[in-house]
Amino acid sequence: MGSIKEQFSNDIHKQKNTGKVDSSKYEQALSLYDLNITDDEVKNAVRKIIEEKVSENNNKEVKKFLLSTVEYTTLSVSDTEEKVLKMVENVNKFEEEYPNLPNVRTIVTYPNFAKLVANSLEIDGVDITVVSGAFPSSQSFLEVKTVETALAIKDGATNVDIVLPVGKFFSEDYESVCDTISELKEVCGDVDMKVILETGVLKTAKNIKTAALLSMYSGAQFIKTSTGKEGGGATAEAVYVMCQAIKEYYNKTGIQIGLKPAGGINSVMDAVIYYTIFKEVLGEKWLSNYYFRLGTSRLPNLILSELLEKEIKYF
């Protein structure tokens, strides 16, 4: 199951120890996959799924499931302890207010709020997620990224979202890209780690798929579309390409990877479309709120409003 991944990992560590860069090792791993994917092919495939499959998922049961996948997020320069505490209070009291509906999946904040969330969260089943590793740019020293991540985990983070080093990716410095991800995964240990690809900056289907594969081979347990800070947020096309990469990676390694569309999820229909693509490409095996997440702040109220058929501003 892990032979390809182990070989790839061994190559990374061998290069790291010897100081020798052998880019052919990365190219060899990538050559196992079809990277001749065009943007037009992706658009046509997405259009077909939307036209043929979305309507059957536009129902209350799917929307309840979508609510349970939400990573309830605040990542603003103006975030305060009071704002974060209010978010936690909303999550703590949700079951009492809406006993027939599922709670959100995680609370997402900057790393400095991890301890606050950990100390005030009173219910089980909701993860404490932080963005780390010099979010949102990933432009810093690896030592800074590892320390920030370790401190957040020490403070109680149970999920960590990091950003792919996009500049290194564009320079085709795959060694540095993979080193960053694998080093941070080593720091995370048993804590789940997502790698944000920043698909709006990567732009092309080939770039997105390549970045997804490098991330998964380097230790990502989830791949995520966007930071929401640059290049726009999730798109149906990016979600489709990432699902295809997850599927091909699973077929070769037996390792099941999760997906998190994030950024610019402005309507319940956006979420339904992403869910439909995820379901159609990956199938029933992936349909849980562990493997499928939605990074958003506005979506919970929109879903509640549709389910209860009145405007809700709970979150």
Side-chain angles (χ1 to χ4, degrees), residues 89-159:
E89 182 183 1
N90 288 340
V91 173
N92 284 339
K93 294 183 176 180
F94 185 83
E95 186 176 349
E96 179 183 333
E97 295 287 333
Y98 300 100
N100 297 317
L101 294 174
N103 211 332
V104 297
R105 187 64 175 79
T106 80
I107 297 171
V108 185
T109 67
Y110 284 111
N112 50 300
F113 294 114
K115 182 178 288 188
L116 180 65
V117 177
N119 289 341
S120 53
L121 187 64
E122 298 172 355
I123 60 171
D124 296 327
V126 176
D127 277 319
I128 301 163
T129 300
V130 298
V131 294
S132 188
F135 178 95
S137 69
S138 194
Q139 297 282 14
S140 189
F141 302 103
L142 182 55
E143 293 85 352
V144 171
K145 297 177 184 181
T146 57
V147 169
E148 181 184 44
T149 302
L151 287 171
I153 292 170
K154 181 176 179 291
D155 280 351
T158 58
N159 277 201

Side-chain angles (χ1 to χ4, degrees), residues 8-150:
F8 192 74
S9 179
N10 289 339
D11 291 338
I12 291 172
H13 289 295
K14 188 185 299 181
Q15 291 177 54
K16 184 175 164 185
N17 292 333
T18 63
K20 296 178 181 178
V21 177
D22 185 357
S23 61
S24 66
K25 300 296 183 181
Y26 302 97
E27 299 297 339
Q28 184 178 351
L30 292 172
S31 72
L32 299 171
Y33 297 87
D34 179 14
L35 295 176
N36 296 316
I37 181 171
T38 70
D39 295 336
D40 284 341
E41 288 171 352
V42 172
K43 287 177 182 177
N44 290 335
V46 168
R47 187 183 304 115
K48 189 174 190 299
I49 291 173
I50 291 173
E51 289 175 354
E52 296 181 1
K53 299 295 183 179
V54 166
S55 60
E56 68 189 49
N57 295 314
N58 188 20
N59 58 63
K60 286 192 173 184
E61 288 308 307
V62 168
K63 290 170 187 176
K64 286 181 183 179
F65 171 74
L66 293 175
L67 183 59
S68 79
T69 72
V70 166
E71 299 212 342
Y72 181 31
T73 303
T74 184
L75 296 172
S76 170
V77 69
S78 60
D79 284 346
T80 62
E81 290 189 355
E82 291 77 16
K83 180 180 180 181
V84 173
L85 281 171
K86 176 61 178 172
M87 292 177 67
V88 178
E89 182 183 1
N90 288 340
V91 173
N92 284 339
K93 294 183 176 180
F94 185 83
E95 186 176 349
E96 179 183 333
E97 295 287 333
Y98 300 100
N100 297 317
L101 294 174
N103 211 332
V104 297
R105 187 64 175 79
T106 80
I107 297 171
V108 185
T109 67
Y110 284 111
N112 50 300
F113 294 114
K115 182 178 288 188
L116 180 65
V117 177
N119 289 341
S120 53
L121 187 64
E122 298 172 355
I123 60 171
D124 296 327
V126 176
D127 277 319
I128 301 163
T129 300
V130 298
V131 294
S132 188
F135 178 95
S137 69
S138 194
Q139 297 282 14
S140 189
F141 302 103
L142 182 55
E143 293 85 352
V144 171
K145 297 177 184 181
T146 57
V147 169
E148 181 184 44
T149 302

Side-chain angles (χ1 to χ4, degrees), residues 35-47 199-210 235-238 240-241:
L35 295 176
N36 296 316
I37 181 171
T38 70
D39 295 336
D40 284 341
E41 288 171 352
V42 172
K43 287 177 182 177
N44 290 335
V46 168
R47 187 183 304 115
T199 55
V201 177
L202 294 177
K203 295 186 184 300
T204 69
K206 182 177 181 179
N207 279 346
I208 292 168
K209 190 170 184 180
T210 301
T235 66
E237 289 76 17
Y240 177 83
V241 174

Side-chain angles (χ1 to χ4, degrees), residues 293-309:
R293 311 283 182 87
L294 292 167
T296 177
S297 57
R298 62 176 65 89
L299 188 63
N301 283 335
L302 296 175
I303 294 177
L304 286 174
S305 297
E306 289 202 14
L307 289 173
L308 301 175
E309 299 179 351

